[in-house]
Amino acid sequence: MKKGGANSQAPRLPRRGSKYLAAITLAVCLTSGSSRVNCAGQTITRKQIDRVDWQPTQAIPSAHYVGREACAQCHSREAAEQQSSAMAHALQLPARSNVLETHPRLIFNNGPYGYTIARSGDQVSYTVSDGASTISVPVSWAFGYGIGEVGQTYLLYYNGSYYESRVSFFSGIDRLDVTLGHPTTVPKSLVDAIGREVKPEELRACFGCHSTGAVSGAHLQADKLVPGITCEGCHGPGGEHVAAMQAGKSRERHILNPARLTPGDLVKFCGACHRTGAHVKEIQAKGVITVRFQPYRLAESACFNPRDRRISCLACHNPHQNPQSEPAFYDSKCQACHGIRGAPPAPQRAAPSCPVSESRCVICHMPKYMIAGSHFKFTDHKIRVVRLGDNVE
C-alpha cells in the first residue's frame, strides 16, 4: 500500500528569482545603551534583543530588500565572501542542496523501517517503508549546509502538517543517521518513522534562523523569504540605505552595522540564533549539549567583559567567512589580552601570559567535544583552564 501523494504536497510557496536565492543577510535596528540606530525607519528597543523569540533576520514593517547584487556594487569583497559561507546556505531548496546534488540517493535502515532520500531532476522524495506499507513525500526544504559542517536536515509536508525528518545527512560520516534530538529507538509506526511534527512557533524559529525575511511579527511569510542568511539578514533591509547612498546622503545610512554594538549586545545579537543564556535557561539545557551554543558559552567565560571588544564574537570571527579551522590562527587573538612571555606588557593587556605555551592556545583552553549523535566535534567557547577529569558545566 502506498500512502502520500496529493495530500502530502506542501502548499506551493512563491519562489524568487536566482538573484534572491543567492542573496546575503537580513537585519534589524536596535538601541545599544542610550544610542539609537535608524534602520529603514524602524527602531527596535533594547528589550527586543533580549527576547528569546527574536532573530536579526526578522522582517520589519515595510521592509524593502534589495538583494546581494545591490549590496555587492559597493561591498563586492564582503558579498563574495559571504556568498561562499555556510551561513549563506543555511537553508536551501531541495533542487539546490549541495548534499543532494553530490548524494542523489541516500539510504538508511532502522529496525524494520527503510529510508530513501532520492533526487530525480529538481524533485527530491523522502520515502519510508516497513516492507508492507510505504509513505513517500517530497522534501520541502533542506536545513543546514551539510558539506564541511555538521549536516543537513529535511523539512517534509505530510497530511496537512510539517515534519522534521527522522533521519539527516551527517558530514562526519558522509551518510544518513538519526536526526539529533530524535529517539534512536525503533519507530512505533510508519507515521512516527517519518519524523517529528513541527509546531508553528518552532517553524517560525527554524526559518527565522536559517533564512532572511521569513518572519514578520508572529507570522511566517514563506513566500517572501530568501534562503540562507544574506547581507540584509544581519544589516537590515537595504532599500533605504541604497536610496540614501545614491542621493549622496552619506550621513543618513539607514543600515545597521553589528560591529558597532557593544560586546555584550553583540553576544545577544549572534546568540539570537546561536543561543544565549536566556535560551539555555528556557530549554533547560545542561552539560555538554550546551557546547553547541557558542555565545552562551563565551559569556560564561571568567574573562568575558561585555565592554571589552577583545572578547567579542567579532574579535575572532569574520562574519562574512566560515570560521578558521587552524588553531594557530587564533593565537594573536589570545595574545591581545595575554601577551607573550618576556615581552614588555602592553597597557591594554590585563592577563598574564600562558606558562605552558604561546601557540595553538585554543587546543587547551577551548577544547572540542563530541556531542552524542552529531558526528561532529564542537569547539567549547567557554575559555578556561581545563583540567583532566573536568566536566562540562
Side-chain angles (χ1 to χ4, degrees):
M1 178 177 68
K2 184 160 185 171
K3 301 181 180 179
N7 72 331
S8 300
Q9 182 66 46
R12 186 171 181 82
L13 303 178
R15 297 177 179 177
R16 297 189 175 193
S18 59
K19 72 173 186 178
Y20 290 98
L21 295 175
I24 333 181
T25 17
L26 171 175
V28 299
C29 316
L30 40 87
T31 49
S32 175
S34 59
S35 64
R36 297 177 70 82
V37 182
N38 186 314
C39 175
Q42 180 78 3
T43 299
I44 295 178
T45 66
R46 189 182 179 88
K47 288 184 179 179
Q48 194 84 343
I49 203 172
D50 289 324
R51 286 173 44 193
V52 295
D53 62 344
W54 172 86
Q55 297 98 22
T57 57
Q58 292 180 2
I60 61 177
S62 304
H64 176 201
Y65 295 101
V66 295
R68 184 192 68 85
E69 282 80 1
C71 302
Q73 290 181 21
C74 295
H75 308 282
S76 57
R77 185 188 65 182
E78 291 85 353
E81 290 176 342
Q82 203 278 337
Q83 189 181 12
S84 300
S85 71
M87 282 183 63
H89 301 277
L91 178 70
Q92 297 176 316
L93 289 165
R96 294 175 177 269
S97 163
N98 52 334
V99 170
L100 300 175
E101 181 178 357
T102 55
H103 300 74
R105 183 177 176 84
L106 293 162
I107 59 174
F108 181 76
N109 291 295
N110 187 2
Y113 296 97
Y115 293 81
T116 302
I117 301 177
R119 175 172 178 165
S120 177
D122 287 343
Q123 302 298 315
V124 179
S125 61
Y126 178 97
T127 303
V128 187
S129 176
D130 61 3
S133 300
T134 298
I135 294 177
S136 185
V137 295
V139 174
S140 298
W141 292 96
F143 282 79
Y145 187 44
I147 302 299
E149 297 297 313
V150 183
Q152 191 170 81
T153 299
Y154 305 101
L155 186 69
L156 319 165
Y157 189 78
Y158 172 72
N159 206 24
S161 297
Y162 279 102
Y163 285 78
E164 179 184 63
S165 60
R166 192 180 180 100
V167 297
S168 297
F169 176 85
F170 290 90
S171 298
I173 55 175
D174 199 41
R175 59 180 172 82
L176 297 178
D177 201 353
V178 177
T179 301
L180 194 63
H182 286 238
T184 56
T185 53
V186 175
K188 299 176 182 178
S189 67
L190 195 59
V191 173
D192 185 42
I194 294 175
R196 182 180 64 84
E197 186 174 349
V198 183
K199 299 177 182 178
E201 59 271 22
E202 293 179 283
L203 204 60
R204 289 194 296 271
C206 293
F207 277 102
C209 282
H210 284 261
S211 65
T212 298
V215 178
S216 181
H219 304 288
L220 177 63
Q221 44 184 28
D223 58 319
K224 296 182 179 179
L225 71 79
V226 177
I229 304 303
T230 68
C231 311
E232 293 171 287
C234 292
H235 294 284
E240 291 193 22
H241 173 67
V242 170
M245 296 304 100
Q246 290 176 342
K249 299 177 180 179
S250 59
R251 292 187 179 183
E252 299 178 20
R253 294 188 177 276
H254 296 284
I255 203 74
L256 173 69
N257 184 354
R260 296 182 180 177
L261 298 175
T262 65
D265 280 346
L266 188 61
V267 161
K268 295 176 183 178
F269 183 89
C270 299
C273 285
H274 294 281
R275 303 293 179 94
T276 65
H279 293 97
V280 171
K281 182 178 180 180
E282 183 180 70
I283 64 177
Q284 299 181 341
K286 296 181 180 178
V288 70
I289 192 70
T290 64
V291 173
R292 291 180 64 191
F293 311 142
Q294 301 89 345
Y296 161 69
R297 298 295 292 180
L298 180 64
E300 289 289 296
S301 304
C303 57
F304 180 74
N305 182 336
R307 296 173 298 279
D308 192 337
R309 295 191 178 278
R310 296 174 297 174
I311 195 72
S312 78
C313 306
L314 297 183
C316 292
H317 300 298
N318 181 336
H320 304 115
Q321 303 172 356
N322 288 329
Q324 296 288 330
S325 59
E326 171 52 51
F329 170 83
Y330 299 99
D331 289 346
S332 62
K333 319 297 183 182
C334 302
Q335 291 163 3
C337 292
H338 290 273
I340 302 173
R341 287 197 305 273
Q348 72 274 19
R349 290 182 179 135
S353 59
C354 179
V356 177
S357 177
E358 291 172 350
S359 64
R360 302 169 71 82
C361 315
V362 296
I363 291 179
C364 291
H365 299 288
M366 298 176 67
K368 293 178 179 290
Y369 291 90
M370 176 72 76
I371 294 177
S374 70
H375 306 289
F376 184 84
K377 287 188 175 182
F378 292 84
T379 298
D380 190 355
H381 282 61
K382 184 176 180 180
I383 304 167
R384 66 197 188 280
V385 176
V386 182
R387 294 180 173 84
L388 189 66
D390 282 357
N391 293 321
V392 176
E393 297 177 353

